[in-house]
Amino acid sequence: MPIKTDAAFIAKHGLQGGTAGLFSYFVGRVHQIATGLGRRVIMWDAAFNKGSSPPPKDVVIQMWLQYGGANTLLQDIVKAGYSAIASPDVPWYLNVVEPQDAACNTQWQCIRNYDPTAGLSSAEAARVLGGEGCLWGETVDSSDLES
């Protein structure tokens, strides 16, 4: 349920879908500001699957959610016509937090064998611009340098 000020903003701007509509409004405003400055916009996958409406097609979607190792979200993104960057939590998050993911994220073979274009046509695979192995600072300390 939106807090009072969110609800007032949603009503004032006639946004549909409650907080999902508010999120889509935010995504749209960020896109408008960035493209107005001549920039290409990259947004996390929530912009693709959490709003009440999809983002503009020129947005690059950076996928991080793997849903148990399946490539389905990345496939959905490129099949919908978006360009994408693969940053899958399993196996490319280098400082994995969830113990169930550690078996893959700490094994170089698993990391190397992940193919973000698996299951895509050649035209769809061409929309996968690349990938990123993420390392989030809030869980990093000096012991990471030794491992």
Side-chain angles (χ1 to χ4, degrees), residues 62-123:
Q62 186 161 356
M63 175 279 298
W64 72 275
L65 287 172
Q66 271 296 83
Y67 303 121
N71 227 13
T72 55
L73 181 57
L74 186 63
Q75 290 172 356
D76 291 346
I77 291 166
V78 298
K79 287 174 190 264
Y82 292 91
S83 293
I85 297 171
S87 301
D89 57 339
V90 177
W92 285 0
Y93 270 39
L94 303 178
N95 59 324
V96 64
V97 177
E98 301 299 327
Q100 70 270 18
D101 299 334
C104 186
N105 289 52
T106 58
Q107 302 297 316
W108 70 265
Q109 298 92 339
C110 187
I111 295 167
R112 180 185 176 278
N113 289 336
Y114 171 73
D115 179 4
T117 62
L120 299 175
S121 70
S122 59

Side-chain angles (χ1 to χ4, degrees), residues 7-145:
F9 187 91
I10 290 167
K12 178 182 176 183
H13 293 278
L15 303 177
Q16 301 299 311
T19 54
L22 181 60
F23 183 65
S24 290
Y25 175 85
F26 169 77
V27 166
R29 286 288 295 134
V30 168
H31 177 266
Q32 181 182 35
I33 292 166
T35 56
L37 296 169
R39 303 293 186 212
R40 188 164 188 195
V41 179
I42 301 172
M43 295 184 171
W44 286 112
D45 55 43
F48 174 76
N49 63 4
K50 298 293 183 193
S52 63
S53 59
K57 290 290 186 181
D58 64 337
V59 169
V60 176
I61 305 294
Q62 186 161 356
M63 175 279 298
W64 72 275
L65 287 172
Q66 271 296 83
Y67 303 121
N71 227 13
T72 55
L73 181 57
L74 186 63
Q75 290 172 356
D76 291 346
I77 291 166
V78 298
K79 287 174 190 264
Y82 292 91
S83 293
I85 297 171
S87 301
D89 57 339
V90 177
W92 285 0
Y93 270 39
L94 303 178
N95 59 324
V96 64
V97 177
E98 301 299 327
Q100 70 270 18
D101 299 334
C104 186
N105 289 52
T106 58
Q107 302 297 316
W108 70 265
Q109 298 92 339
C110 187
I111 295 167
R112 180 185 176 278
N113 289 336
Y114 171 73
D115 179 4
T117 62
L120 299 175
S121 70
S122 59
E124 293 163 345
R127 287 196 290 274
V128 179
L129 304 179
E132 174 188 30
C134 298
L135 181 67
W136 295 99
E138 64 270 20
T139 62
V140 175
D141 61 26
S142 60
S143 68
D144 290 297
L145 297 174

